[in-house]
């Protein structure tokens, strides 16, 4: 999408991300750790995101994410 992506004025960061994803013909999936799903929630609430935002997962620990995503504790601990 670019080296720097930001919102300005009335345009929120997630609005800018959605617009750039549409322009590039790309989609986005997120993996969050310790954020409480803030990015997931913000992206889902952004108008037009349903065409480019595929969803995401959020966990409290890297081990939880590793287990849910199927790559196990050994790999998760290396992250």
């Amino acid at each position: 999408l670019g080296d720097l992506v930001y919102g300005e004025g009335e345009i929120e960061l997630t609005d800018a991300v959605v617009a750039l994803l549409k322009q590039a013909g790309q989609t986005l999936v997120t993996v969050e750790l310790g954020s409480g799903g803030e990015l997931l929630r913000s992206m889902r609430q952004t108008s037009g995101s349903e065409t480019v935002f595929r969803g995401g997962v959020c966990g409290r620990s890297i081990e939880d994410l590793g287990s849910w995503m199927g790559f196990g504790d050994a790999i998760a601990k290396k992250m």
Side-chain angles (χ1 to χ4, degrees):
L1 297 179
D3 291 336
L4 300 173
V5 178
Y6 57 91
E8 183 176 18
E10 297 288 320
I11 300 172
E12 297 288 330
L13 173 61
T14 53
D15 295 318
V17 169
V18 167
L20 289 169
L21 287 168
K22 286 180 178 182
Q23 183 180 353
Q26 296 177 335
T27 59
L28 175 68
V29 173
T30 61
V31 178
E32 297 180 64
L33 179 63
S35 65
E38 186 63 30
L39 181 58
L40 174 63
R41 184 175 54 82
S42 184
M43 286 300 296
R44 288 188 133 186
Q45 292 176 345
T46 301
S47 178
S49 67
E50 62 279 350
T51 61
V52 294
F53 184 55
R54 306 286 307 268
V57 295
C58 179
R60 292 185 180 185
S61 72
I62 193 71
E63 291 80 15
D64 286 345
L65 288 174
S67 175
W68 296 337
M69 296 174 70
F71 54 79
D73 288 347
I75 293 174
K77 289 178 182 176
K78 292 181 181 181
M79 298 179 83

